[in-house]
Amino acid sequence: MTSRTLYLFASAAPPVFDVARVIETAQADGWDVCLGLTPTAARWLDDSLDGLAALTEHPVRSEYKVPGEPDVWPKADVILFAPATFNSINAWALGLTSSFVVGVVAEGIGKGIPTVAMPCVNAAYAQHPALDRSITELREQGITVLYGEGGFTPNPPGSGKPKAYPWEAALAAARQIVDQT
């Protein structure tokens, strides 16, 4: 079986602490996983970065490479951006690419890379009108956004359930997109 490459991107939200298990699940399903993190997520996982790089057999990236440097990852078959925070979703929809992972997914729209996003926001952020606008914009650009029924549903502030984050739905959506192409 030919290995498929999954770029797994994550923002700093509590489900990011479960990323090693998610990588192992994806690998068991035949994915070659490359892990990209927002700068804050990389800081949160700082003590685990070497282990995550060993697990994926690829460097964990949270910064842009220097122009002219070779790319250290294989080409992506699909990108899964989960958890994607309020900030990351809005920056992506607006094309604000100051972070590596947001830059890659923004460019991925133009490159036609299939992409799945699953937000992780609390109910207070969900009330902000920018979130709905950004999700609509990303969906109009062809991004599969798992938000609401069948995806992530916000919890009241301070009452998140990181272990209940629907990682399986996110991985299944990435698999389905690749299987359809």
Side-chain angles (χ1 to χ4, degrees):
M1 179 172 123
T2 304
S3 182
R4 304 162 296 172
T5 300
L6 170 71
Y7 284 9
L8 176 59
F9 289 172
S11 299
V16 78
F17 291 109
D18 210 17
V19 75
R21 181 190 63 80
V22 176
I23 291 167
E24 290 169 341
T25 300
Q27 289 171 328
D29 193 33
W31 291 102
D32 178 18
V33 181
C34 299
L35 179 62
L37 303 168
T38 62
T40 303
R43 185 171 48 83
W44 285 12
L45 297 176
D46 188 53
D47 292 342
S48 304
L49 294 179
D50 289 341
L52 291 166
L55 178 62
T56 63
E57 299 180 1
H58 298 287
V60 176
R61 295 190 57 194
S62 61
E63 296 181 4
Y64 287 105
K65 66 181 184 69
V66 175
E69 284 183 349
D71 203 341
V72 294
W73 286 355
K75 184 179 174 208
D77 291 297
V78 65
I79 301 170
L80 171 57
F81 195 168
T85 60
F86 180 79
N87 184 63
S88 292
I89 291 288
N90 290 319
W92 181 10
L94 291 171
L96 305 175
T97 61
S98 60
S99 80
F100 164 71
V101 294
V102 174
V104 173
V105 292
E107 186 177 36
I109 292 170
K111 288 182 171 181
I113 301 170
T115 303
V116 175
M118 189 158 56
C120 185
V121 298
N122 68 38
Y125 281 126
Q127 295 302 310
H128 195 289
L131 183 65
D132 284 338
R133 285 193 300 263
S134 293
I135 288 172
T136 298
E137 176 66 27
L138 292 173
R139 286 177 172 157
E140 288 175 355
Q141 296 298 317
I143 306 304
T144 300
V145 182
L146 304 175
Y147 183 72
E149 190 174 330
F152 178 78
T153 304
N155 300 299
S159 67
K161 301 173 183 108
K163 293 294 183 194
Y165 189 72
W167 283 110
E168 292 73 20
L171 289 169
R175 183 182 328 104
Q176 182 180 6
I177 285 175
V178 170
D179 288 349
Q180 290 175 349
T181 58

